[in-house]
Amino acid sequence: MKIHSFNVQPNLPENIKFLEELANDMWFTWNWQAILLFVQVDEKLWTAAKRNPKWFLGSVPQKRFEELSKDENFVQQVNKVKESYYNYKNNPHTWYNDHKHENGQLLTAYFSMEYGIGEGLPIYSGGLGMLAGDHIKSASDLGMPIIGVGLFYKQGYVQQVLNREGWQNEEYPDNDWAHMPVARVQDKNGKDIVVDIPLGGENIKACIWRVPVGRTSLYLLDTNLQENTPAQRAITEKLYGGDRENRIRQEVVLGIGGVKALTAMGIKPTVYHINEGHSAFLLFQRIIDFMQNENLTFGQACERVWASSVFTTHTPVIAGNEHFDPVLVRKYMQFYADQMHISWDEFLAIGKEKPTSTLYCMTVVALRLAAYCNGVAKLHGAVSREMWRNLWPGLPLTEVPITSITNGIHSASWISHELNELFRKYLNNNDQLGEVDPSDVAPWQKLGNIPNEELWKVHCIRKNKLIELVQDRLKRQLTRQGFDVMTVKKASKVLRPDTLTIGFARRFATYKRATLLFKDLNRLDKIINNPARPVQFVFAGKAHPADTAGKEFIKLIVGLTQTDPRFKDKIVFVEDYNMNTARYMVQGVDVWLNNPIRPMEASGTSGMKAALNGALALSVLDGWWDEVGPCDFGWSIGGAENYKSEAERDTVEAEALYSLIEQEIAPAYYAKNDKGISETWLNLMKESIKHIAPVFNTNRMVKEYYEKFYVPANNYNLGLAEPAKVQALSDWRKKIKDNWYRVSITDTTPTPEDAISMGQQVKFTARVNLGGLVPDDVQVELYLGQRGTLGDIVKEKSIAMTCTGQADNAYTYEVSMAPVNSGRQDYALRVLPKNDSIPHVFMPLFIRWEE
């Protein structure tokens, strides 16, 4: 049977036709008045459409559109949103336009395997995608020139389906492009732009979809084309789907295909941002392009790419970073190694942490070929420096060039519209989040202006909505599982609005310890069923389809809710966690629980979302919370202690969790006055929002990327665009490499006869042999601090020494300084290369300590 298809568009009357334009821009996802328009058209259908406006509009009867076109109030609301939309799109006074200071014209291409923009575009799985989506949204709000690049998956990420025993099964619904806010990118002649990607001896084709996201765009590559073979079409079938071979094929398409797609569209980024290692192959395509288009050598092209590339790592455990068998890598990357005119061993060395490593690591590739690297929280930055220090042997740990920019959330996407309205009234001069910058500290200082009664009323509204959602979802789940009518009806009794409610929702990886709460069931029983201060829990989250241990965690929790009468109706597991469920949970719970194994949580953003909505944090000191707690507006489980065993750690931290709930959290929540309000609790909510909301948002985060990374990367790239400059840098690199073995340094500081007094100047001197180098090629430093336990020095500071003369083929360097601390002072001397034309001198690393 030959099947033909055509697409039918809704025929909206002219005065409400703007709804079509609105449905095709993901801007609507963080603007409640825009969302409300779709809700008013048909609330039940909007829910059934999973908040996908394009699919929704195609399902609304024409008669309903005719009715709405005659509803003056609705037409007025459409016009109001239309005005807001065009004001947003056309406003020249964005943060970026008012603050930009880079050279030339910045454009950052942000590559990520997944994006959580909205439920109507299901190309996300978890925190990485949520962060990427929020990054792009804040780029739009700030007017920052950032575009997103990803993959368009035929099937959305796994939908979780639980059986009667609580075991997770998976379904993969198809994404229907005709009913999604995407459009094929075409050339000036109206022909689809298609790129060719060499892949393992084959040539595959990928088209490009564009997703408008406010002021910016997300571009998605798709191999599901008739010109491709079935196996080639399946490359972009599922997010993280298939075996290791399909994974590397996806990453070639994303990285190399993504660069080719931008070139085909005539888009010329000045900075490339790699969000996690999946897209690191893009670095090689950029090198090839520089070599072919600008006649650069491999080394010269590497300089251009390195100086203009940003890499963000999200994974604080080695196993979680992307590794491939070198045989598999060779199958798909030998062609590109040949294009760069380097041997296979040279190519392989770029992705090996050590020469003896047996696997090729995408994180290592990115760390070697990107000058700007960061973790996603301060603690994670420190963990990453420890993890990857082998790439910089001889360099002190604190100087390993991996810094940190703490994640945030796109506040307007995650705040409840009721609370947003309250903030508009009391904090933001009649503007809502989305219209004002959440990283502006001043408005948050006005939280005390909000009457406790009004804040509590809003919180109770959201809590009731969460309970209604949970009950409705549970009824549908039980009905699907074939339970009798009475059992389904009893689902209306789960959870109580007057009970302290603690939420836990995240990916069910075992290190996140979803079952820590259940370590002592008798103790938990006393907490949950305390007659004066009862507590209830809402759980949600998916395990990776291949994670059997994570599925066992889900089964254990669901089993307790079904079979143990002590916990029935008081602990609930919500099936199929997604963006919509996440919103209801972070907006409705009283406390947000987070208890991973420290320091395995890179950042975590769900707690930020809950905090913005007034939920108080109950968390291990990990990820972003390590930068906040211990504090007086939330609770920290344990500290930074080391334990003898995993069992001891879990026992101690479970006990701390129980004690905090019993002795501090529940008493504060139930300290209610005659109006049914706990002033103590409301004050904690205000303090939490005041301290967390202005800091842990993606506006602040994107501004940090701009200042720390995007501006210097853009400027260095521009500076190296002149052939003479990159040639001079290449010559300097060779000069350093050829002469470094001859570099040495010797301390010639006279030993003081008497103890040095505080404030007294001390003169340090050194004799430095530079071989064929000259003083302008190097920086000589006094490395001052205290001797560490491993024979190193814990740096207090490094002080540049000055060349004061030359004698006998050696140079004399000196510096004078006055100690600021008493007691023993230790120091070492070292030599590093020096060149102002590069971001830093630590890659590749040449360092010479005094021996």
Side-chain angles (χ1 to χ4, degrees):
M1 179 189 297
K2 189 172 184 179
I3 300 176
H4 301 274
S5 300
F6 59 94
N7 193 30
V8 178
Q9 297 290 337
N11 184 19
L12 273 69
E14 193 62 35
N15 62 350
I16 60 171
K17 201 170 184 63
F18 170 70
L19 290 175
E20 285 185 352
E21 186 175 358
L22 185 62
N24 282 287
D25 192 326
M26 298 301 285
W27 174 85
F28 85 88
T29 61
W30 69 92
N31 290 273
W32 172 246
Q33 294 304 318
I35 295 170
L36 193 58
L37 289 179
F38 299 122
V39 173
Q40 288 179 296
V41 172
D42 189 325
E43 184 171 2
K44 288 185 177 179
L45 184 60
W46 175 246
T47 301
K50 297 181 179 178
R51 292 150 292 280
N52 177 346
K54 199 169 179 182
W55 186 94
F56 170 76
L57 291 181
S59 303
V60 175
Q62 186 65 30
K63 181 181 177 181
R64 178 58 176 156
F65 287 136
E66 299 296 339
E67 291 174 356
L68 290 167
S69 70
K70 298 170 185 175
D71 183 333
E72 292 184 7
N73 183 54
F74 183 78
V75 172
Q76 186 178 5
Q77 290 180 60
V78 169
N79 289 333
K80 185 178 179 180
V81 172
K82 183 177 181 180
E83 182 181 8
S84 295
Y85 176 69
Y86 285 128
N87 286 342
Y88 177 89
K89 296 267 284 187
N90 300 323
N91 180 14
H93 298 295
T94 63
W95 181 90
Y96 172 74
N97 280 341
D98 292 341
H99 294 85
K100 62 180 178 181
H101 57 88
E102 73 276 3
N103 300 331
Q105 191 66 44
L106 168 71
L107 177 61
T108 297
Y110 181 92
F111 280 64
S112 182
M113 199 76 161
E114 52 176 299
Y115 289 88
I117 306 286
E119 300 96 292
L121 189 67
I123 55 170
Y124 62 89
S125 69
L128 182 71
M130 295 299 103
L131 183 279
D134 284 5
H135 194 116
I136 296 300
K137 290 177 185 177
S138 273
S140 172
D141 286 346
L142 295 168
M144 194 81 73
I146 301 173
I147 55 173
V149 180
L151 298 179
F152 184 78
Y153 301 101
K154 181 175 180 289
Q155 296 180 339
Y157 190 64
V158 57
Q159 286 189 355
Q160 181 187 60
V161 180
L162 301 179
N163 65 17
R164 280 196 174 208
E165 289 70 42
W167 187 256
Q168 173 184 298
N169 295 300
E170 296 87 29
E171 292 182 355
Y172 294 89
D174 280 352
N175 286 330
D176 181 1
W177 65 266
H179 294 107
M180 298 176 70
V182 300
R184 287 273 188 98
V185 178
Q186 299 180 328
D187 61 21
K188 60 183 179 182
N189 298 317
K191 184 179 179 182
D192 289 349
I193 294 177
V194 176
V195 295
D196 294 299
I197 307 169
L199 192 68
E202 305 173 349
N203 185 71
I204 69 164
K205 296 183 180 295
C207 68
I208 311 162
W209 298 89
R210 175 178 174 264
V211 182
V213 188
R215 296 186 178 104
T216 189
S217 298
L218 171 61
Y219 296 98
L220 305 173
L221 280 82
D222 180 10
T223 65
N224 186 23
L225 302 176
Q226 289 185 351
E227 302 95 304
N228 289 330
T229 66
Q232 293 169 345
R233 296 180 69 167
I235 292 173
T236 56
E237 184 173 36
K238 293 179 183 177
L239 171 60
Y240 303 134
D243 56 15
R244 296 304 298 164
E245 183 152 16
N246 195 64
R247 174 68 72 86
I248 197 171
R249 287 159 70 88
Q250 284 189 336
E251 296 186 8
V252 172
V253 170
L254 172 60
I256 290 174
V259 174
K260 286 177 170 287
L262 295 175
T263 300
M265 291 186 288
I267 297 172
K268 299 178 180 179
T270 61
V271 177
Y272 283 75
H273 187 162
I274 301 164
N275 188 43
E276 195 55 288
H278 307 116
S279 59
F281 286 140
L282 73 84
L283 297 159
F284 297 122
Q285 184 60 46
R286 293 193 65 208
I287 290 170
I288 292 168
D289 287 347
F290 277 125
M291 292 176 70
Q292 294 180 349
N293 299 335
E294 300 188 19
N295 198 30
L296 300 182
T297 66
F298 173 75
Q300 292 169 341
C302 283
E303 294 289 355
R304 292 288 304 274
V305 170
W306 179 73
S308 57
S309 297
V310 177
F311 169 56
T312 299
T313 177
H314 292 260
T315 313
V317 287
I318 291 291
N321 289 267
E322 193 77 285
H323 292 80
F324 290 110
D325 186 321
V327 175
L328 193 60
V329 177
R330 187 164 198 170
K331 178 178 178 180
Y332 291 102
M333 296 306 295
Q334 177 73 66
F335 171 83
Y336 298 99
D338 293 343
Q339 293 277 298
M340 293 183 286
H341 308 301
I342 60 175
S343 70
W344 181 247
D345 286 342
E346 288 173 314
F347 181 90
L348 210 55
I350 296 171
K352 283 190 172 187
E353 182 182 357
K354 305 175 186 176
T356 56
S357 298
T358 58
L359 293 175
Y360 189 88
C361 180
M362 300 296 281
T363 301
V364 171
V365 171
L367 290 172
R368 282 212 167 98
L369 295 180
Y372 304 92
C373 303
N374 71 288
V376 290
K378 290 178 181 177
L379 178 60
H380 181 230
V383 170
S384 298
R385 288 189 287 275
E386 178 65 47
M387 282 175 64
W388 304 110
R389 66 185 305 177
N390 288 331
L391 298 183
W392 294 271
L395 189 66
L397 179 62
T398 55
E399 292 186 297
V400 168
I402 304 174
T403 183
S404 64
I405 294 179
T406 302
N407 280 348
I409 60 167
H410 185 253
S411 304
S413 292
W414 296 102
I415 191 170
S416 73
H417 65 88
E418 294 93 345
L419 188 57
N420 204 354
E421 184 66 20
L422 200 62
F423 288 169
R424 180 197 66 77
K425 181 178 178 182
Y426 288 102
L427 309 184
N428 294 327
N429 299 321
N430 292 320
D431 289 324
Q432 296 180 324
L433 290 179
E435 300 168 315
V436 296
D437 187 346
S439 64
D440 183 359
V441 175
W444 300 106
Q445 304 307 308
K446 303 176 188 177
L447 273 157
N449 295 345
I450 302 177
N452 281 347
E453 292 81 2
E454 291 191 46
L455 180 56
W456 187 245
K457 180 180 178 181
V458 165
H459 181 66
C460 289
I461 289 171
R462 293 310 312 183
K463 192 172 185 178
N464 282 323
K465 288 188 175 184
L466 168 62
I467 292 173
E468 290 170 6
L469 173 87
V470 171
Q471 292 173 347
D472 180 63
R473 295 280 289 272
L474 189 56
K475 287 177 185 176
R476 285 191 278 126
Q477 175 185 330
L478 293 172
T479 300
R480 190 199 72 243
Q481 292 172 340
F483 282 92
D484 60 83
V485 174
M486 291 303 297
T487 301
V488 173
K489 283 186 176 180
K490 287 178 182 178
S492 299
K493 297 181 180 180
V494 302
L495 307 180
R496 292 170 54 91
D498 58 349
T499 298
L500 171 62
T501 304
I502 299 177
F504 180 102
R506 52 192 34 85
R507 183 166 54 90
F508 263 64
T510 52
Y511 77 85
K512 294 178 184 285
R513 293 191 299 181
T515 57
L516 184 67
L517 180 70
F518 305 99
K519 185 141 186 84
D520 185 340
L521 294 181
N522 291 329
R523 184 78 180 276
L524 183 60
D525 172 28
K526 292 178 181 178
I527 292 171
I528 286 178
N529 295 299
N530 184 315
R533 296 193 292 264
V535 183
Q536 59 194 13
F537 293 86
V538 182
F539 282 82
K542 299 174 184 175
H544 186 280
D547 185 1
T548 302
K551 292 182 178 183
E552 290 288 356
F553 276 19
I554 294 171
K555 182 181 177 183
L556 185 151
I557 295 171
V558 173
L560 285 171
T561 69
Q562 293 176 343
T563 62
D564 195 321
R566 296 174 295 177
F567 308 128
K568 195 171 182 60
D569 299 338
K570 298 161 187 175
I571 300 177
V572 180
F573 188 94
V574 184
E575 183 184 56
D576 196 29
Y577 185 55
N578 57 24
M579 284 184 78
N580 188 52
T581 308
R583 283 197 192 91
Y584 275 87
M585 287 191 67
V586 300
Q587 294 169 5
V589 299
D590 300 304
V591 174
W592 195 258
L593 175 61
N594 185 37
N595 46 233
I597 298 170
R598 188 182 194 270
M600 296 178 71
E601 184 85 277
S603 176
T605 55
S606 60
M608 303 174 191
K609 297 162 189 169
L612 174 66
N613 286 282
L616 302 181
L618 172 58
S619 179
V620 166
L621 284 171
D622 200 7
W624 76 280
W625 185 250
D626 187 64
E627 298 170 34
V628 181
C631 60
D632 56 6
F633 50 82
W635 296 275
S636 299
I637 303 167
E641 300 89 356
N642 293 315
Y643 297 96
K644 295 178 183 177
S645 66
E646 294 181 3
E648 180 189 40
R649 177 199 63 219
D650 289 353
T651 299
V652 171
E653 294 187 351
E655 173 61 32
L657 173 58
Y658 296 141
S659 296
L660 285 170
I661 296 173
E662 281 181 322
Q663 299 169 20
E664 297 187 34
I665 299 173
Y669 181 85
Y670 286 105
K672 296 184 177 181
N673 57 24
D674 54 2
K675 296 180 180 179
I677 294 174
S678 169
E679 301 286 350
T680 300
W681 194 265
L682 268 297
N683 291 335
L684 287 171
M685 288 174 66
K686 291 179 180 179
E687 282 298 303
S688 175
I689 297 170
K690 183 173 74 173
H691 285 86
I692 293 172
V695 178
F696 297 97
N697 61 76
T698 42
N699 276 36
R700 182 274 309 158
M701 182 192 80
V702 172
K703 289 177 187 178
E704 272 198 68
Y705 277 110
Y706 175 73
E707 297 291 351
K708 289 184 178 180
F709 291 170
Y710 297 163
V711 168
N714 173 84
N715 292 351
Y716 278 116
N717 185 30
L718 195 63
L720 292 175
E722 298 177 24
K725 288 187 177 181
V726 75
Q727 180 62 53
L729 180 57
S730 179
D731 293 344
W732 174 82
R733 290 278 195 198
K734 186 176 187 305
K735 183 180 178 184
I736 294 293
K737 182 179 179 181
D738 290 346
N739 285 277
W740 200 254
Y741 75 97
R742 301 166 65 188
V743 173
S744 65
I745 183 169
T746 304
D747 182 28
T748 57
T749 305
T751 302
E753 296 180 1
D754 302 310
I756 298 167
S757 301
M758 287 282 288
Q760 178 183 344
Q761 287 285 322
V762 181
K763 185 177 182 180
F764 297 87
T765 61
R767 176 184 172 87
V768 181
N769 293 299
L770 292 178
L773 303 178
V774 296
D776 285 347
D777 293 324
V778 301
Q779 54 195 46
V780 178
E781 295 178 344
L782 169 72
Y783 200 80
L784 187 67
Q786 288 77 42
R787 189 186 304 272
T789 57
L790 300 177
D792 57 352
I793 286 184
V794 179
K795 184 180 69 166
E796 182 178 290
K797 57 182 174 181
S798 57
I799 305 168
M801 302 181 75
T802 303
C803 183
T804 58
Q806 181 181 11
D808 301 328
N809 296 319
Y811 294 92
T812 301
Y813 279 79
E814 298 179 353
V815 68
S816 295
M817 55 84 62
V820 295
N821 297 317
S822 60
R824 194 187 76 191
Q825 304 289 300
D826 300 308
Y827 71 94
L829 301 176
R830 69 179 185 180
V831 187
L832 290 164
K834 179 184 179 183
N835 194 312
D836 293 334
S837 298
I838 56 177
H840 63 76
V841 295
F842 296 136
M843 183 61 80
L845 180 64
F846 291 94
I847 187 169
R848 182 74 70 216
W849 296 91
E850 182 187 22
E851 295 179 351

